[in-house]
Amino acid sequence: MDAADWNARYLAQPDPWGTTPAARVVSEVTAAEDAGLGVGTAVDLACGDGRHARWLAAHGWHVHAVDFSEVAIEQARDRDSDEGRSGSVDWLVGDAVDWTPPGEVDLVVVGFLHLDPEPLGLALRRAGEWLRPGGHLVYLGHAAENLRRGVGGPQDPSVLPGVADLARAAEGLEVVSLRHDLRPAGHATAVDVLLHARAWS
């Protein structure tokens, strides 16, 4: 899908995944903070309508939230509010494969970005290069195994990463966790894949 397809999708159905951040993203970021990651500057890459960016900002992060859908970014800006939070969000239109932040960051979150293996690997390797020493990268997506063993998500196997794809993307980083993650989805179970890595200190 290109940006025009996603613009049409967001116009037809705002908040297609709800406003609550993915529980696994929350738990991985929280665990990183508990292990010593200081709250600072984050990137929410392929942020969609911003559920992860808003959660990060509510917890003090200053977030660059980037998506190639102008409609998603416009909707995210419209529903955003600084009230009661210590962080902030810059809402930006940009492509996950070639956008670059203005400087080093402490955290990159990539939630459910699905591309062919080569551009996905490129996006994640570039994201790893943005990290300050000790900074963290968290990727969560629908796993290749979800087609046979889970429910929901894209039905095109070419855009569903496996553990080996993410392992290659994490070269040069210290891998904290790389695994399948089983997620309740109504009366069934979805199979996600998680990469949590950090830049060597």
Side-chain angles (χ1 to χ4, degrees), residues 127-197:
E129 293 171 358
W130 306 335
L131 296 173
R132 293 188 178 97
H136 287 243
L137 167 68
V138 176
Y139 171 87
L140 179 70
H142 302 285
E145 289 76 10
N146 194 57
L147 277 181
R148 291 181 294 112
R149 305 181 187 279
V151 295
Q155 298 301 296
D156 178 358
S158 71
V159 299
L160 293 171
V163 168
D165 298 311
L166 298 184
R168 285 189 291 272
E171 286 184 20
L173 299 175
E174 178 188 359
V175 174
V176 176
S177 184
L178 176 56
R179 67 180 191 274
H180 291 115
D181 191 63
L182 303 183
R183 172 172 48 89
H187 296 294
T189 301
V191 184
D192 294 336
V193 63
L194 170 74
L195 168 65
H196 183 171

Side-chain angles (χ1 to χ4, degrees), residues 18-32:
T19 57
T20 303
R24 181 55 61 193
V25 169
V26 170
S27 64
E28 294 298 315
V29 173
T30 301

Side-chain angles (χ1 to χ4, degrees), residues 14 33 43 53 58-60 72 74 79 92-93 109 117 129 136 154 169 185:
E33 292 176 1
V43 171
H59 289 80
E74 182 180 342
R79 72 171 55 87
L92 304 163
V93 176
V109 169
E129 293 171 358
H136 287 243

Side-chain angles (χ1 to χ4, degrees), residues 1-2 5-23 44-52 54 67-69 71-73 75-76 79 111-114 140-142 151-154 183 185 190 192:
M1 296 179 78
D2 60 20
D5 293 326
W6 280 105
N7 285 338
R9 182 171 181 175
Y10 281 110
L11 285 170
Q13 185 186 0
D15 289 330
W17 300 279
T19 57
T20 303
D44 183 1
L45 191 63
C47 67
D49 52 6
R51 58 184 177 143
H52 296 126
R54 286 191 295 274
D67 200 276
F68 76 164
S69 168
V71 172
I73 293 297
Q75 291 176 350
R79 72 171 55 87
F112 299 97
L113 172 62
H114 291 280
L140 179 70
H142 302 285
V151 295
R183 172 172 48 89
D192 294 336

